[in-house]
Amino acid sequence: TISYAEYENQRWEITKATEDSIANYRQEKMQAVIDGFTTAIDYMQQASDLVFEAISSNIQAQMDALDEMYTTDAQEAKENANKKYISEKELAAKKAALEQKQAKYNKAQALINAAINTAQAIVATLAQMGATPWGIASSVIAGTMGAAQMAIIASKPLAQYAKGRKGGKGEYALVGEKGPEVMYV
């Protein structure tokens, strides 16, 4: 036989142990979800890096092929059966098209990286602060900032300069008064 006080004490200890066990289970479950998201995000980053590296390599190979296939020197074209004569303007236009293509893929890569970074920030915030009101609010702020960054990236067109520019942060631009040419200025 135990006293009522001992009964209440044991009941409180059992209730506390049960609640602690439930809290630990929820925390472990949340950590497993966070670990899963982190792993998935890492795989997405690796996959996008590989894809864009392959695309960039392909465009560079096409650029190299232009130099191997074409020449702006008529004499060289006559002497080398593997090279075709092309005007400087035509060659510049072909290169500009490839450089424009590369710039578009670079912009797409920047958007994907911003999305991945936003997802990582949200997951990290929830991992650190949990699903508390402050953690949820902080993750919403991280998501909003990421969305704003992506909107800025998406809204920036490739710059075009007819007569060049003076200074400033580097960016891709369509330049050249004698035919288009995309370059990093």
Side-chain angles (χ1 to χ4, degrees):
T1 311
I2 60 171
S3 70
Y4 181 75
E6 290 175 326
Y7 166 78
E8 283 297 318
N9 188 33
Q10 287 180 1
R11 186 173 148 218
W12 181 83
E13 287 178 14
I14 291 171
T15 302
K16 183 178 180 323
T18 303
E19 289 176 3
D20 287 347
S21 178
I22 291 170
N24 285 339
Y25 172 75
R26 286 181 180 160
Q27 186 176 3
E28 288 172 4
K29 190 174 176 181
M30 179 68 151
Q31 188 60 49
V33 169
I34 288 170
D35 291 345
F37 275 119
T38 301
T39 301
I41 291 168
D42 289 344
Y43 284 140
M44 286 188 292
Q45 179 71 59
Q46 291 172 10
S48 74
D49 287 347
L50 289 173
V51 167
F52 283 109
E53 184 179 320
I55 289 169
S56 184
S57 294
N58 182 287
I59 292 172
Q60 184 59 50
Q62 291 177 41
M63 196 70 92
D64 294 342
L66 282 178
D67 291 333
E68 290 178 25
M69 292 174 51
Y70 298 105
T71 181
T72 57
D73 182 358
Q75 185 63 31
E76 184 181 356
K78 286 180 185 178
E79 294 172 1
N80 188 344
N82 294 330
K83 288 208 172 193
K84 296 179 183 177
Y85 175 74
I86 190 172
S87 71
E88 286 185 28
K89 186 175 183 178
E90 290 173 314
L91 184 59
K94 288 181 181 290
K95 285 184 178 184
L98 288 174
E99 290 168 346
Q100 183 78 20
K101 188 177 180 180
Q102 180 65 51
K104 287 178 183 178
Y105 283 117
N106 289 344
K107 186 174 184 177
Q109 184 177 18
L111 282 167
I112 289 172
N113 286 341
I116 289 171
N117 291 339
T118 300
Q120 287 173 331
I122 291 168
V123 170
T125 300
L126 289 174
Q128 184 178 10
M129 297 182 173
T132 62
W134 182 245
I136 292 170
S138 296
S139 66
V140 168
I141 291 169
T144 303
M145 290 174 61
Q149 181 185 15
M150 288 182 279
I152 290 169
I153 293 168
S155 69
K156 286 190 174 182
L158 292 177
Q160 297 185 21
Y161 302 108
K163 297 181 181 178
R165 69 183 193 124
K166 293 183 180 181
K169 184 178 174 189
E171 59 189 354
Y172 285 94
L174 184 59
V175 299
E177 291 90 284
K178 294 184 178 181
E181 178 183 1
V182 176
M183 61 186 300
Y184 188 79
V185 181

